[in-house]
């Protein structure tokens, strides 16, 4: 059997998703079209393809069946507006494989809108992998804006900034955030935020039609520390105050509460809204992300999730 291309794999995944929604969840083709942001005719073709490719028998004969069951349970437990679970690589449960493709697929769903959209993007390894999976598109009607800067305290830039790279893939107008992640003081942050172009970008990001973020763990192996954004002393303070994770460098505890600390005083990132009425989708997986993801989900600063099977099961089994 010939190896399938990425495009063919995505087509089968979409067909399996449509088949599950139709035959298992009992959705009509109109409902499927709305949920997948496609035309009714495309929904009909996907459902038909799920049958012709042998994905539908008595049950959905595709690994996405279990994943979709887990996604429905996560949506119900954490009151999410969207959730996708991809199969895990049991040898590497933190692998971006699968996450990157699913993330790219979700980003592309929003880019297919003919009406102008603003997409706000965090940074990080997984989001960078998602952007690298994007199909080349012509999206001049859309805007892509960064949620945070990517400069460390020494002025060096993170290699995981995604906005410029994403704009290259989709030919969209883009708005980087010309800021350090953590200015030297709260006063310096306020001065930077008062600059007209920065204030404009912050407002654009805060009112985006859809937001994509990573979720970072904390500790000596966390991106926040390894990429030079916090010192040993700041990391120790965070651990003593019960910090478990961060979203665009906003640090929170296991209950999703932002921590009263020097880092949160200085962080220059766009504040995330609690119980936002627009999609704020986190993309993350792995054992080291379980606690941070639980905190993020409890915070309600995110209302969407893309993760893998292993992580979904760990989240559902946690108190």
């Amino acid at each position: 059997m010939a190896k399938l291309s990425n495009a063919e794999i995505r087509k089968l995944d979409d067909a399996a998703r449509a088949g599950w929604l139709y035959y298992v969840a009992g959705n009509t083709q109109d409902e499927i079209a709305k949920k997948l942001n496609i035309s009714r005719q495309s929904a009909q073709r996907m459902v038909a393809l799920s049958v012709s490719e042998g994905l539908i028998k008595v049950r959905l004969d595709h690994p996405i069946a279990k994943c979709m069951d887990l996604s429905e349970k996560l949506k119900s437990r954490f009151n999410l507006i969207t959730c996708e679970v991809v199969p895990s690589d049991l040898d590497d449960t933190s692998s971006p494989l699968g996450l990157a493709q699913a993330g790219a697929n979700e980003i592309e769903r929003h880019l297919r809108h003919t009406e102008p959209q603003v997409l706000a993007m965090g940074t990080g390894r997984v989001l960078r992998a998602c952007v690298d999976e994007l199909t080349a598109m012509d999206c001049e009607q859309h805007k892509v804006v960064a949620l945070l800067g990517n400069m460390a305290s020494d002025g060096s830039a993170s290699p995981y900034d995604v906005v410029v790279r994403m704009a290259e893939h989709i030919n969209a107008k883009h708005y980087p955030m010309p800021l350090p992640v953590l200015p030297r003081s709260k006063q310096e942050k306020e001065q930077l935020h008062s600059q007209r172009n920065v204030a404009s970008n912050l407002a654009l990001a805060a009112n985006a039609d859809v937001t994509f973020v990573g979720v970072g763990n904390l500790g000596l192996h966390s991106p926040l520390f390894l990429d030079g954004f916090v010192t040993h002393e700041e990391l120790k303070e965070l651990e003593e105050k019960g910090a478990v994770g961060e979203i665009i460098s906003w640090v929170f505890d296991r209950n999703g509460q932002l921590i009263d600390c020097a880092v949160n005083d200085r962080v220059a990132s766009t504040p995330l809204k609690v119980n936002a009425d627009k999609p704020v989708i986190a993309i993350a997986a792995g054992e080291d992300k379980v606690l941070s993801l639980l905190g993020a989900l409890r915070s309600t600063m995110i209302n969407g999730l893309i993760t893998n099977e292993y992580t979904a099961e760990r989240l559902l089994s946690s108190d």
Side-chain angles (χ1 to χ4, degrees), residues 13-14 16-44 46-47 68 71-72 75 80-84 102 105-110 112-113 210 279 281:
D13 282 349
D14 286 342
R17 186 175 292 107
W20 188 93
L21 287 169
Y22 187 81
Y23 289 103
V24 180
N27 287 261
T28 66
Q29 290 176 359
D30 285 332
E31 289 170 332
I32 294 169
K34 185 176 180 181
K35 288 182 177 181
L36 300 185
N37 192 29
I38 57 176
S39 67
R40 187 182 185 282
Q41 291 75 17
S42 294
Q44 186 176 22
M46 284 184 185
V47 171
M68 292 197 76
S71 74
E72 290 299 312
K75 282 175 70 175
L80 301 175
I81 62 174
T82 184
C83 181
E84 178 154 6
N105 200 35
E106 182 65 22
I107 292 169
E108 287 179 5
R109 289 185 198 283
H110 293 275
R112 291 190 195 109
H113 285 282
V210 61
I281 301 169

Side-chain angles (χ1 to χ4, degrees), residues 232-275:
H232 274 284
E233 291 73 21
E234 288 170 326
L235 188 62
K236 184 178 179 182
E237 179 196 11
L238 295 177
E239 290 173 342
E240 289 173 349
K241 293 193 173 187
V244 299
E246 54 87 12
I247 301 176
I248 57 172
S249 301
W250 290 101
V251 181
F252 52 84
D253 64 20
R254 62 183 298 116
N255 296 315
Q257 298 298 310
L258 291 179
I259 290 179
D260 182 10
C261 61
V263 170
N264 281 343
D265 279 343
R266 294 190 292 121
V267 65
S269 308
T270 308
L272 291 177
K273 299 174 184 176
V274 172
N275 297 316

Side-chain angles (χ1 to χ4, degrees), residues 5 56 79 90 95 102 132 195 201 205 207 220 225 277:
S5 67
I56 294 291
N79 195 30
L90 295 180
S95 171
D132 287 343
Q195 295 177 15
N201 280 17
N207 293 288
L220 292 175
F225 177 71
D277 58 356

Side-chain angles (χ1 to χ4, degrees), residues 12 53 58 101 113 122 212 218 224 231 250 255 264 269 303:
L12 285 180
E53 290 294 326
V58 177
Q101 290 77 12
H113 285 282
F212 293 91
L218 289 178
L224 203 60
T231 64
W250 290 101
N255 296 315
N264 281 343
S269 308
N303 54 26

Side-chain angles (χ1 to χ4, degrees), residues 7-312:
E8 289 170 327
I9 292 171
R10 285 193 197 180
K11 187 176 181 180
L12 285 180
D13 282 349
D14 286 342
R17 186 175 292 107
W20 188 93
L21 287 169
Y22 187 81
Y23 289 103
V24 180
N27 287 261
T28 66
Q29 290 176 359
D30 285 332
E31 289 170 332
I32 294 169
K34 185 176 180 181
K35 288 182 177 181
L36 300 185
N37 192 29
I38 57 176
S39 67
R40 187 182 185 282
Q41 291 75 17
S42 294
Q44 186 176 22
R45 287 196 296 271
M46 284 184 185
V47 171
L49 183 62
S50 72
V51 176
S52 65
E53 290 294 326
L55 305 180
I56 294 291
K57 295 178 183 175
V58 177
R59 57 183 174 81
L60 188 60
D61 190 14
H62 188 279
I64 206 169
K66 180 183 177 184
C67 292
M68 292 197 76
D69 181 56
L70 289 169
S71 74
E72 290 299 312
K73 289 177 179 176
L74 285 170
K75 282 175 70 175
S76 175
R77 177 167 175 180
F78 295 106
N79 195 30
L80 301 175
I81 62 174
T82 184
C83 181
E84 178 154 6
V85 177
V86 302
S88 298
D89 179 353
L90 295 180
D91 293 327
D92 183 5
T93 57
S94 300
S95 171
L97 186 66
L99 285 183
Q101 290 77 12
N105 200 35
E106 182 65 22
I107 292 169
E108 287 179 5
R109 289 185 198 283
H110 293 275
L111 292 174
R112 291 190 195 109
H113 285 282
T114 55
E115 291 297 315
Q117 299 280 299
V118 176
L119 286 77
M121 306 295 297
T123 62
R125 295 160 178 78
V126 173
L127 284 179
R128 173 68 178 266
C130 293
V131 168
D132 287 343
E133 289 290 330
L134 289 177
T135 304
M137 304 173 73
D138 191 5
C139 301
E140 292 181 339
Q141 74 275 31
H142 300 322
K143 297 177 180 179
V144 183
V145 60
L147 287 161
L148 71 166
N150 73 333
M151 293 168 57
S153 57
D154 64 357
S156 62
S158 166
Y160 301 107
D161 187 35
V162 302
V163 167
V164 174
R165 193 172 185 86
M166 183 172 169
E168 291 172 352
H169 278 274
I170 65 171
N171 190 30
K173 196 167 185 178
H174 61 286
Y175 300 80
M177 198 75 77
L179 293 173
V181 172
L182 288 169
R184 288 171 295 181
S185 67
K186 184 177 180 180
Q187 291 73 24
E188 183 178 289
K189 176 188 77 172
E190 291 170 349
Q191 289 173 351
L192 290 168
H193 279 190
S194 68
Q195 295 177 15
R196 188 173 64 177
N197 62 325
V198 174
S200 176
N201 280 17
L202 287 167
L204 188 65
N207 293 288
D209 295 290
V210 61
T211 298
F212 293 91
V213 295
V215 176
N217 57 304
L218 289 178
L220 292 175
H221 300 291
S222 64
L224 203 60
F225 177 71
L226 291 176
D227 292 344
F229 297 122
V230 299
T231 64
H232 274 284
E233 291 73 21
E234 288 170 326
L235 188 62
K236 184 178 179 182
E237 179 196 11
L238 295 177
E239 290 173 342
E240 289 173 349
K241 293 193 173 187
V244 299
E246 54 87 12
I247 301 176
I248 57 172
S249 301
W250 290 101
V251 181
F252 52 84
D253 64 20
R254 62 183 298 116
N255 296 315
Q257 298 298 310
L258 291 179
I259 290 179
D260 182 10
C261 61
V263 170
N264 281 343
D265 279 343
R266 294 190 292 121
V267 65
S269 308
T270 308
L272 291 177
K273 299 174 184 176
V274 172
N275 297 316
D277 58 356
K278 295 177 181 177
V280 182
I281 301 169
I283 307 175
E287 180 61 35
D288 62 343
K289 298 292 181 74
V290 172
L291 276 180
S292 51
L293 274 170
L294 277 171
L297 290 164
R298 290 165 179 159
S299 75
T300 69
M301 288 187 292
I302 63 171
N303 54 26
L305 177 64
I306 297 174
T307 191
N308 64 21
E309 229 178 312
Y310 173 85
T311 311

